[in-house]
Amino acid sequence: QVRLVESGGGLVQPGGSLRLSCAATGTAYSIGAMGWYRQAPGKQRELVATITSGGVTNYPDSMKGRFTISRNNAKYTVYLQMSSLKPEDTAVYYCNGLITTLARTLEEVWGQGTLVTVSS
């Protein structure tokens, strides 16, 4: 069973930068597309970025420019580089991945989330 573990969240000042990491642990046949989502207090979870196993990235228009997703397949890790952060970026950031299990079934796995607070 694969688990996704996020890290790197914390308190950052407006205009600052932060890099989140999400490491996959456990055993699987393969790890496919992965992504980052976020959920601000009182709001629905929204997509931040996705990346395929081949490195093709996708961002909603609202996220283009300040967020960069990348992955290291050798380390089973996906990253989210965030820059020029604003108070409205404050949210719990979740990692998501499509996992093909050893039984060749497809599962969607979520991490536990990491809190990012943008405040002076």
Side-chain angles (χ1 to χ4, degrees):
Q1 183 177 359
V2 171
R3 293 178 58 238
L4 299 178
V5 181
E6 300 101 332
S7 61
L11 175 64
V12 61
Q13 292 187 341
S17 299
L18 207 59
R19 189 175 85 154
L20 306 182
S21 299
C22 171
T25 63
T27 306
Y29 179 74
S30 67
I31 300 176
M34 301 187 75
W36 287 96
Y37 293 72
R38 70 183 187 184
Q39 187 166 19
K43 295 187 177 181
Q44 290 187 332
R45 190 172 298 189
E46 62 178 343
L47 173 67
V48 178
T50 61
I51 185 168
T52 68
S53 57
V56 177
T57 60
N58 180 64
Y59 305 86
D61 288 342
S62 59
M63 303 295 175
K64 290 180 179 178
R66 298 187 299 117
F67 297 91
T68 302
I69 189 171
S70 61
R71 67 190 285 169
N72 184 327
N73 289 334
K75 295 184 177 180
Y76 304 103
T77 301
V78 64
Y79 306 95
L80 183 68
Q81 180 68 46
M82 306 184 291
S83 61
S84 302
L85 285 165
K86 306 173 182 179
E88 50 264 43
D89 294 317
T90 295
V92 178
Y93 284 72
Y94 296 91
C95 178
N96 168 278
L98 292 178
I99 310 298
T100 301
T101 69
L102 295 178
R104 304 300 194 267
T105 60
L106 190 62
E107 292 185 356
E108 183 178 34
V109 180
W110 290 89
Q112 82 287 352
T114 185
L115 176 62
V116 173
T117 303
V118 184
S119 175
S120 55

